[in-house]
Amino acid sequence: MRKLMKVLDGETFDIPPIWLMRQAGRYLPEYRETRKQAGGFLDLCYNPDLAVEVTLQPIRRFGFDASILFSDILVIPHALGRNLDFREGEGPVLDPITIEEINALNSDGFLDHLSPVFETVGRLREELPSETTLIGFCGAPWTVATYMIAGRGTPDQAPARLFAHQHPEIFQNLINILVEASTKYLIKQLKSGADCVQIFDSWAGILGGDQFERWCVEPMAKIVENVRSEIPDAKIIGFPKGAGAQNFGYREKTGIDCLGLDWSVPLDQAKKLQEEGAIQGLLDPLRVIAGGKALDEGVDQIMEHLTDGPLVFNLGHGITPQAPIEHVEQLISRVRGG
Ligand code: 1CP
C-alpha cells in the first residue's frame, strides 16, 4: 500500500509522507509556462493533457509522496451552470447567485461537464510512479456556497453568512444540491483512479456554534456517508480550515479518516487530535517564504511533537507564489532527514 494511504489507515512513520497543498502552482516556473500556453485557468483544468502535465510537475521536481489532481473547487458551480472566470491577480469571479437561481439549480448532467477531470484522474494514475498516492478533491459545500453567494473571495465571506441567517431554508437547499453534486463528483474521481480524496472547507473558521454544525459538520458528514455507501473503504481527508476548538469532535461527527490542521493549531492540541487518528498539515506557509532558521524550526517542532502518531506532513494552507524553490527543497530534505 502507498505510504500516505497507510497513514490514513492509522500507521506511524519516523519519516512521514509529505506533499504540499497547491504544490502545482505559480511558484513553479514550469507551471507559469504551461499556464501561458493554456490561455485561461479553466482551459488548464479542462484540458487533460495540460492538467496531467501540471499535476506531474511538482512530482518530477520534488518527488512528493502524493500528487493532487490539478483542478479547482469552483468547477462544481461551473458544472452546475454558473458563470465562472479566473482573472489574473484577482482570483475567481462568479455571478452572485439569487434566490430564484438557487431554486432553479439542479445537478442533472453536471457530471458530463466534468468528464475531462475524470480522464485526467485516470491518466494520472497510469503515469504517476506506483508509490505516489493520487489525491482527488472537492470543496466543502459551505466553502463553495460562500463563493456562489458573494461571487468572489471576500475578507470574511460575510454575504454567505448573512444569507444563511436571513434565508436558512433556501440556503439549506443550496447546501443540499452541493452535497449531492460533491458526492457524485468524488465517487467518480475515486472510480477513475484517485486513491483517496480531500474535502477543502477553507472558510469553516468563520462559523461558530449552530452555524458551524449545520453548514460545515452536517454536509461533510453526509458526503462521507454517501461516498462510503457506494465505496465502503473510501479514504477521506477533511480540512476545516480555521476551525480552532471546533476541531475537537469533528472527526467523530463527520467520519473522516484524516483531519487537516492549519498553522494556528497549537502543537499540543494537534497531538491530542492525533490520538483519535491521522492528522495532516500545520506548517505556516510563510515559513517557506522565509526559509533559513524559521523554516527549519517550524519543521523540527512538528517532527518532534507529532511523529509518534499518524502524520501526513503538509503546510497549514496552500504554498504561496512567493515561495522560493530552494526553500521547498530545504523543507523536504529537513523532513526526510537529508
Ligand atoms: O493563476 C493561477 O494559476 C490560479 C491560481 C490557482 C491555482 C493554482 C487557483 C485559483 N486555483 C488553483 C488550483 C487549485 N485550487 C488546486 C489544485 C492545485 C494543487 O493543490 O496543487 C486546489 C486543490 C485548489 C483548491 C481551492 N481553490 C481552494 C481550497 C484550498 C484553499 O486554497 O483554501 C479554494 C478556496 C479555491 C478557490 C480559488 N481558486 C483560485 C484562487 C486564487 C482561489 C482563492 C480565492 C479567494 O478566496 O480569494
Side-chain angles (χ1 to χ4, degrees), residues 33-49:
E33 194 47 47
T34 315
R35 163 106 211 240
K36 244 193 268 160
Q37 280 175 30
F41 175 75
L42 278 174
D43 300 309
L44 201 50
C45 295
Y46 294 135
N47 179 325
D49 289 334

Side-chain angles (χ1 to χ4, degrees), residues 8-317:
L8 300 193
D9 246 355
E11 266 190 61
T12 294
F13 292 92
D14 292 340
I15 299 174
I18 174 172
W19 69 282
L20 306 181
M21 287 187 272
R22 291 278 176 99
Q23 64 190 18
R26 282 174 295 171
Y27 74 107
L28 287 179
E30 58 269 37
Y31 170 84
R32 295 197 297 269
E33 194 47 47
T34 315
R35 163 106 211 240
K36 244 193 268 160
Q37 280 175 30
F41 175 75
L42 278 174
D43 300 309
L44 201 50
C45 295
Y46 294 135
N47 179 325
D49 289 334
L50 297 178
V52 166
E53 167 58 23
V54 291
T55 309
L56 294 177
Q57 285 170 350
I59 305 303
R60 283 190 208 117
R61 194 187 261 274
F62 302 115
F64 288 118
D65 293 282
S67 173
I68 184 159
L69 159 71
F70 190 86
S71 181
D72 195 79
I73 62 166
L74 298 173
V75 298
I76 285 196
H78 194 229
L80 291 171
R82 306 301 300 159
N83 279 334
L84 171 63
D85 191 15
F86 284 88
R87 296 186 193 149
E88 200 64 53
E90 217 189 307
V93 182
L94 301 103
D95 296 334
I97 196 165
T98 62
I99 290 176
E100 294 70 33
E101 287 169 333
I102 291 176
N103 291 334
L105 272 181
N106 72 74
S107 64
D108 296 348
F110 102 110
L111 277 184
D112 293 339
H113 177 102
L114 295 168
S115 60
V117 176
F118 308 127
E119 185 182 333
T120 301
V121 171
R123 281 167 53 180
L124 279 170
R125 192 53 282 170
E126 279 170 23
E127 292 191 31
L128 279 166
S130 65
E131 68 275 14
T132 312
T133 299
L134 175 58
I135 305 171
F137 75 94
C138 72
W142 162 249
T143 287
V144 173
T146 66
Y147 290 99
M148 292 176 79
I149 301 268
R152 59 181 66 227
T154 62
D156 58 3
Q157 297 296 64
R161 276 160 54 216
L162 179 59
F163 190 99
H165 288 304
Q166 285 177 326
H167 311 287
E169 269 107 59
I170 294 158
F171 194 68
Q172 184 74 60
N173 291 341
L174 174 58
I175 292 288
N176 292 350
I177 288 165
L178 291 171
V179 165
E180 193 191 318
S182 307
T183 300
K184 288 186 190 161
Y185 185 47
L186 292 181
I187 289 172
K188 195 80 202 263
Q189 290 185 34
L190 287 162
K191 290 194 169 167
S192 302
D195 297 293
C196 63
V197 290
Q198 174 156 331
I199 305 175
F200 289 88
D201 211 348
S202 305
W203 291 101
I206 58 172
L207 295 182
D210 63 335
Q211 300 293 291
F212 183 80
E213 292 297 317
R214 184 165 182 188
W215 307 126
C216 291
V217 173
E218 284 174 24
M220 183 70 87
K222 275 196 204 126
I223 294 175
V224 172
E225 188 191 337
N226 293 348
V227 170
R228 294 238 179 86
S229 72
E230 183 114 357
I231 306 176
D233 59 351
K235 292 286 178 213
I236 302 172
I237 305 168
F239 180 32
K241 181 173 176 283
Q246 300 175 116
N247 277 311
F248 288 93
Y250 185 85
R251 181 198 307 273
E252 296 72 18
K253 285 189 261 188
T254 58
I256 55 168
D257 300 282
C258 179
L259 178 64
L261 300 173
D262 64 79
W263 68 88
S264 72
V265 178
L267 295 179
D268 59 332
Q269 290 188 16
K271 187 145 183 74
K272 284 215 177 69
L273 291 161
Q274 194 187 36
E275 285 166 13
E276 314 296 325
I279 57 170
Q280 167 179 283
L282 292 157
L283 187 73
D284 185 346
L286 300 194
R287 287 191 191 260
V288 189
I289 303 182
K293 227 172 131 206
L295 179 54
D296 284 346
E297 284 175 0
V299 172
D300 293 353
Q301 287 162 11
I302 292 171
M303 295 292 282
E304 279 158 25
H305 276 80
L306 299 165
T307 45
D308 289 341
L311 172 69
V312 177
F313 203 101
N314 206 323
L315 307 181
H317 198 199

